[in-house]
Amino acid sequence: MGWFGQPGNPGINEGLGRYLAHSTLRASVATSRWGALVIITSSLAGSWLVIFMAGGADSMVPHLYYVPILFAAARFGPVAALVVACIAGILAGPLTYVDVAQATTQDPARWLTRTGYFIGIGQLMAWLVGPSLIPITEEIRRLRKEREIRKGLANGEFFLQYQPVYSLADDSYPVVEALIRWQHPVQGHQSPAGFMATAEECHLIHEITDFVLDEACRQASQWRKLAWARNQTPWAVAVNISGRNLELPDLATRVRKTLERHDLPPELLHIEVTESALALENSAFQLRQLKKLGICLAIDDFGTGYSSLSYLNRFPADTLKIDRSLIATLSPDKSSQALARGMILLARSMGMTTVAEGIENGTQLKVGRALEFDYAQGYHLSRPMDAGDIPAFLLADELPPEQSEKRDRL
Ligand code: G
Ligand code: MN
């Protein structure tokens, strides 16, 4: 039975012990490299000074040296523990008098044995904490990234690019998909796959979606005025939301308020949810709430989520976006087209339009046309662009000289 242990309740002490060990270890590992070096150096020097002040090794056993040795073992591992143990051995040995007043030096056998203990205990500690260091270091890296994302959001380091979606039926670009980008001031461009995974592990995904939704609607509303002024049909903006966002009970309210704030008609907003999110509890209800607002719903990355086709029946989606991994396998050879053909038939029979994602060359576009996809999107048609470049690309009367080249590709 331990400190807080009670008969019949042995778990408390064990739990507390684990908590203390974990939090102490986490605190040691979380110390920055330079912070850790300062702690090690000052506690080595402090240990020497305390023993010197106490009158020498005879007056005080140099146990204080274990502090920097164990700390180095937890923070940096076995090599650092060995180095610090050797330094401690020398400091507590030849550099410490047995009796300061008499200036008597220590017997080498005595301090060498002690150094052996320092090394042994340091290595034992490093070996014991080694397996826990990996998850703890990962957790700390994740916490740091979370802090960076939060700071990035506050400092306006995130921005949107837009990739036009091409209509194969009428040679126009009726939708642009908003894609989040992060330009870190020191580390440069960060891949969305990396930071979205971190954001999805905590509530930051909601802040990111709020930002994307707000900025995309603001931009779409501005573009709508521009299109009107030129007598052109305004284009819609598509926003990707994460499955985690579907956990928000007020998701539909947030979307409605954003539309109202920017005075954007709901039909100019498309929301894309990945296929894998359909399997989540509550998603059917949430998507129906969104649909009631009058927005368009798309199922994104279809063909990658391993979700049951029966899920499709439960969702009020307007569009099925077929994942680029499937588009990449398309060739003029009929056998390569069977799966895509089946998906198009399925979507059509359920009243959904289809988008071929990730069109990267003319052959894929040609096959996509032959298969009668309704829309196509990909680098071959247009890369994601900054907001400022979109009107020139989409407003026919403002097309730049490369327009003819663009038409050639279609
Ligand atoms: O999951 P979703 O389909 O929303 O992902 C869009 C991502 O795909 C964006 O990061 C975009 O830059 C990228 N993308 C768009 N078109 C292409 C393409 O033709 N090829 C490849 N490899 N990536 C693309
Ligand atoms: Mn998408």
Side-chain angles (χ1 to χ4, degrees):
M1 191 167 61
W3 307 327
F4 298 104
Q6 286 163 16
N9 193 4
I12 294 179
N13 188 22
E14 204 185 303
L16 182 73
R18 203 176 307 128
Y19 169 76
L20 280 178
H22 191 261
S23 49
T24 311
L25 199 54
R26 228 177 91 168
S28 337
V29 177
T31 322
S32 75
R33 198 169 283 263
W34 287 109
L37 283 176
V38 169
I39 291 174
I40 292 169
T41 319
S42 55
S43 48
L44 280 172
S47 307
W48 184 88
L49 198 66
V50 168
I51 293 166
F52 179 82
M53 306 270 272
D58 255 358
S59 325
M60 194 172 182
V61 189
H63 284 332
L64 277 177
Y65 283 105
Y66 281 111
V67 174
I69 296 167
L70 296 181
F71 183 83
R75 175 64 180 81
F76 297 109
V79 178
L82 177 69
V83 173
V84 177
C86 290
I87 297 172
I90 293 166
L91 281 174
L95 299 183
T96 296
Y97 290 124
V98 179
D99 184 334
V100 175
Q102 310 262 323
T104 43
T105 52
Q106 291 182 60
D107 171 11
R110 189 167 153 190
W111 69 260
L112 278 173
T113 315
R114 196 188 305 122
T115 308
Y117 277 115
F118 283 168
I119 294 174
I121 302 270
Q123 294 305 298
L124 182 68
M125 173 74 168
W127 179 72
L128 283 175
V129 303
S132 337
L133 276 187
I134 300 161
I136 289 177
T137 318
E138 256 164 33
E139 191 182 328
I140 285 159
R141 195 172 301 133
R142 192 179 59 76
L143 287 173
R144 286 204 182 126
K145 195 140 180 211
E146 245 180 75
R147 209 174 45 205
E148 292 274 303
I149 297 174
R150 195 166 291 122
K151 224 168 69 187
L153 279 168
N155 295 346
E157 292 162 17
F158 288 87
F159 64 99
L160 300 184
Q161 280 197 315
Y162 298 87
Q163 186 178 37
V165 180
Y166 178 67
S167 161
L168 290 162
D170 59 11
D171 284 342
S172 65
Y173 288 93
V175 186
V176 292
E177 177 174 356
L179 299 164
I180 190 159
R181 301 287 182 250
W182 182 13
Q183 188 65 30
H184 189 280
V186 181
Q187 289 151 25
H189 176 78
Q190 303 287 299
S191 117
F195 67 78
M196 290 306 266
T198 310
E200 279 180 349
E201 286 167 21
C202 59
H203 68 277
L204 278 172
I205 188 63
H206 303 313
E207 288 179 38
I208 288 186
T209 299
D210 274 348
F211 162 75
V212 177
L213 202 57
D214 187 71
E215 177 54 17
C217 287
R218 185 196 65 75
Q219 188 60 76
S221 179
Q222 219 179 61
W223 281 333
R224 176 175 173 242
K225 289 179 195 135
L226 198 69
W228 263 359
R230 321 238 158 162
N231 249 338
Q232 304 242 349
T233 319
W235 52 92
V237 71
V239 168
N240 295 282
I241 66 166
S242 149
R244 285 280 324 267
N245 295 137
L246 298 177
E247 292 166 9
L248 281 176
D250 65 338
L251 179 66
T253 314
R254 286 181 188 217
V255 174
R256 179 177 52 78
K257 286 187 174 159
T258 312
L259 288 168
E260 284 167 5
R261 192 161 53 245
H262 297 292
D263 192 23
L264 187 73
E267 61 274 15
L268 290 189
L269 176 65
H270 292 202
I271 286 193
E272 300 189 1
V273 205
T274 58
E275 181 196 4
S276 46
L278 303 187
L280 302 172
E281 197 189 334
N282 217 20
S283 58
F285 172 78
Q286 288 281 40
L287 296 176
R288 251 177 254 127
Q289 297 296 105
L290 285 174
K291 190 73 194 113
K292 271 191 206 154
L293 299 174
I295 63 160
C296 287
L297 273 183
I299 296 173
D300 208 0
D301 308 331
F302 187 74
T304 58
Y306 309 104
S307 74
S308 155
L309 288 180
S310 69
Y311 282 127
L312 286 181
N313 250 341
R314 293 167 37 203
F315 297 96
D318 305 280
T319 304
L320 199 63
K321 298 188 80 172
I322 313 280
D323 191 67
R324 64 171 170 268
S325 56
L326 200 112
I327 303 301
T329 64
L330 289 183
S331 75
D333 173 18
K334 286 261 185 301
S335 63
S336 73
Q337 303 166 7
L339 205 52
R341 198 186 300 278
M343 286 181 181
I344 293 168
L345 282 176
L346 178 78
R348 206 168 283 158
S349 69
M350 298 174 90
M352 289 188 276
T353 56
T354 48
V355 182
E357 289 190 303
I359 294 279
E360 290 185 346
N361 55 55
T363 312
Q364 288 167 0
L365 184 63
K366 223 162 135 190
V367 176
R369 244 185 228 287
L371 284 173
E372 297 183 2
F373 271 99
D374 298 298
Y375 302 94
Q377 183 180 4
Y379 292 166
H380 178 69
L381 294 153
S382 160
R383 291 201 165 246
M385 293 181 265
D386 288 335
D389 297 330
I390 286 286
F393 191 89
L394 295 194
L395 292 172
D397 58 344
E398 263 203 22
L399 282 175
E402 56 268 25
Q403 175 199 2
S404 55
E405 191 206 317
K406 191 174 96 189
R407 289 268 178 258
D408 286 348
R409 273 186 275 153
L410 302 176

PDB file of all heavy atoms in Angstrom, residues 177-179 239-240 272 300-301 321 357 377, ligand 2:
ATOM      1  N   GLU A 177     -12.959  25.813 -56.112  1.00  0.00           N
ATOM      2  CA  GLU A 177     -12.810  25.161 -54.806  1.00  0.00           C
ATOM      3  C   GLU A 177     -11.771  25.912 -53.977  1.00  0.00           C
ATOM      4  O   GLU A 177     -10.651  26.153 -54.431  1.00  0.00           O
ATOM      5  CB  GLU A 177     -12.386  23.700 -54.984  1.00  0.00           C
ATOM      6  CG  GLU A 177     -12.161  23.015 -53.632  1.00  0.00           C
ATOM      7  CD  GLU A 177     -11.883  21.509 -53.739  1.00  0.00           C
ATOM      8  OE1 GLU A 177     -11.926  20.957 -54.852  1.00  0.00           O
ATOM      9  OE2 GLU A 177     -11.623  20.909 -52.681  1.00  0.00           O
ATOM     10  N   ALA A 178     -12.167  26.301 -52.767  1.00  0.00           N
ATOM     11  CA  ALA A 178     -11.248  27.017 -51.873  1.00  0.00           C
ATOM     12  C   ALA A 178     -10.328  26.006 -51.197  1.00  0.00           C
ATOM     13  O   ALA A 178     -10.789  25.005 -50.653  1.00  0.00           O
ATOM     14  CB  ALA A 178     -12.047  27.775 -50.816  1.00  0.00           C
ATOM     15  N   LEU A 179      -9.012  26.259 -51.257  1.00  0.00           N
ATOM     16  CA  LEU A 179      -8.036  25.347 -50.653  1.00  0.00           C
ATOM     17  C   LEU A 179      -7.160  26.138 -49.685  1.00  0.00           C
ATOM     18  O   LEU A 179      -6.602  27.177 -50.051  1.00  0.00           O
ATOM     19  CB  LEU A 179      -7.183  24.707 -51.750  1.00  0.00           C
ATOM     20  CG  LEU A 179      -7.958  23.854 -52.771  1.00  0.00           C
ATOM     21  CD1 LEU A 179      -7.119  23.587 -54.008  1.00  0.00           C
ATOM     22  CD2 LEU A 179      -8.409  22.539 -52.135  1.00  0.00           C
ATOM     23  N   VAL A 239     -16.238  24.750 -50.351  1.00  0.00           N
ATOM     24  CA  VAL A 239     -15.426  24.729 -49.127  1.00  0.00           C
ATOM     25  C   VAL A 239     -15.364  23.290 -48.613  1.00  0.00           C
ATOM     26  O   VAL A 239     -16.386  22.600 -48.569  1.00  0.00           O
ATOM     27  CB  VAL A 239     -16.065  25.662 -48.063  1.00  0.00           C
ATOM     28  CG1 VAL A 239     -15.438  25.457 -46.704  1.00  0.00           C
ATOM     29  CG2 VAL A 239     -15.951  27.114 -48.491  1.00  0.00           C
ATOM     30  N   ASN A 240     -14.164  22.850 -48.239  1.00  0.00           N
ATOM     31  CA  ASN A 240     -14.008  21.504 -47.684  1.00  0.00           C
ATOM     32  C   ASN A 240     -14.216  21.558 -46.179  1.00  0.00           C
ATOM     33  O   ASN A 240     -13.620  22.403 -45.506  1.00  0.00           O
ATOM     34  CB  ASN A 240     -12.592  20.988 -47.927  1.00  0.00           C
ATOM     35  CG  ASN A 240     -12.308  20.805 -49.403  1.00  0.00           C
ATOM     36  OD1 ASN A 240     -12.737  19.832 -50.009  1.00  0.00           O
ATOM     37  ND2 ASN A 240     -11.606  21.776 -49.989  1.00  0.00           N
ATOM     38  N   GLU A 272     -18.004  20.484 -49.282  1.00  0.00           N
ATOM     39  CA  GLU A 272     -17.501  19.158 -49.635  1.00  0.00           C
ATOM     40  C   GLU A 272     -17.148  18.392 -48.362  1.00  0.00           C
ATOM     41  O   GLU A 272     -16.450  18.925 -47.499  1.00  0.00           O
ATOM     42  CB  GLU A 272     -16.249  19.283 -50.510  1.00  0.00           C
ATOM     43  CG  GLU A 272     -16.518  20.024 -51.804  1.00  0.00           C
ATOM     44  CD  GLU A 272     -15.335  19.975 -52.778  1.00  0.00           C
ATOM     45  OE1 GLU A 272     -14.308  19.347 -52.462  1.00  0.00           O
ATOM     46  OE2 GLU A 272     -15.464  20.587 -53.857  1.00  0.00           O
ATOM     47  N   ASP A 300     -16.618  14.237 -51.351  1.00  0.00           N
ATOM     48  CA  ASP A 300     -15.266  14.442 -51.886  1.00  0.00           C
ATOM     49  C   ASP A 300     -14.461  13.142 -51.842  1.00  0.00           C
ATOM     50  O   ASP A 300     -14.774  12.255 -51.051  1.00  0.00           O
ATOM     51  CB  ASP A 300     -14.573  15.481 -50.979  1.00  0.00           C
ATOM     52  CG  ASP A 300     -13.528  16.269 -51.728  1.00  0.00           C
ATOM     53  OD1 ASP A 300     -13.335  16.019 -52.930  1.00  0.00           O
ATOM     54  OD2 ASP A 300     -12.907  17.148 -51.099  1.00  0.00           O
ATOM     55  N   ASP A 301     -13.431  13.078 -52.678  1.00  0.00           N
ATOM     56  CA  ASP A 301     -12.487  11.942 -52.671  1.00  0.00           C
ATOM     57  C   ASP A 301     -13.212  10.604 -52.739  1.00  0.00           C
ATOM     58  O   ASP A 301     -12.788   9.644 -52.094  1.00  0.00           O
ATOM     59  CB  ASP A 301     -11.599  11.967 -51.405  1.00  0.00           C
ATOM     60  CG  ASP A 301     -10.917  13.307 -51.197  1.00  0.00           C
ATOM     61  OD1 ASP A 301     -10.651  13.987 -52.202  1.00  0.00           O
ATOM     62  OD2 ASP A 301     -10.658  13.678 -50.039  1.00  0.00           O
ATOM     63  N   LYS A 321     -17.634  13.601 -56.132  1.00  0.00           N
ATOM     64  CA  LYS A 321     -16.323  13.928 -56.705  1.00  0.00           C
ATOM     65  C   LYS A 321     -15.460  12.676 -56.654  1.00  0.00           C
ATOM     66  O   LYS A 321     -15.119  12.190 -55.581  1.00  0.00           O
ATOM     67  CB  LYS A 321     -15.669  15.079 -55.916  1.00  0.00           C
ATOM     68  CG  LYS A 321     -16.479  16.372 -55.971  1.00  0.00           C
ATOM     69  CD  LYS A 321     -15.731  17.536 -55.364  1.00  0.00           C
ATOM     70  CE  LYS A 321     -14.711  18.116 -56.308  1.00  0.00           C
ATOM     71  NZ  LYS A 321     -14.122  19.377 -55.787  1.00  0.00           N
ATOM     72  N   GLU A 357     -11.820  14.322 -60.461  1.00  0.00           N
ATOM     73  CA  GLU A 357     -10.790  15.106 -59.762  1.00  0.00           C
ATOM     74  C   GLU A 357      -9.400  14.721 -60.279  1.00  0.00           C
ATOM     75  O   GLU A 357      -9.170  13.567 -60.664  1.00  0.00           O
ATOM     76  CB  GLU A 357     -10.811  14.777 -58.262  1.00  0.00           C
ATOM     77  CG  GLU A 357     -11.983  15.297 -57.493  1.00  0.00           C
ATOM     78  CD  GLU A 357     -11.769  15.108 -55.983  1.00  0.00           C
ATOM     79  OE1 GLU A 357     -11.556  13.971 -55.551  1.00  0.00           O
ATOM     80  OE2 GLU A 357     -11.818  16.112 -55.251  1.00  0.00           O
ATOM     81  N   GLN A 377     -11.748  18.598 -62.882  1.00  0.00           N
ATOM     82  CA  GLN A 377     -10.914  19.506 -62.092  1.00  0.00           C
ATOM     83  C   GLN A 377      -9.519  18.902 -62.055  1.00  0.00           C
ATOM     84  O   GLN A 377      -9.374  17.688 -61.957  1.00  0.00           O
ATOM     85  CB  GLN A 377     -11.500  19.546 -60.665  1.00  0.00           C
ATOM     86  CG  GLN A 377     -10.819  20.490 -59.706  1.00  0.00           C
ATOM     87  CD  GLN A 377     -11.490  20.456 -58.327  1.00  0.00           C
ATOM     88  OE1 GLN A 377     -12.411  19.669 -58.094  1.00  0.00           O
ATOM     89  NE2 GLN A 377     -11.025  21.297 -57.424  1.00  0.00           N
TER      90      GLN A 377
HETATM   91 MN    MN B   2     -12.306  18.931 -52.143  1.00  0.00          MN
END
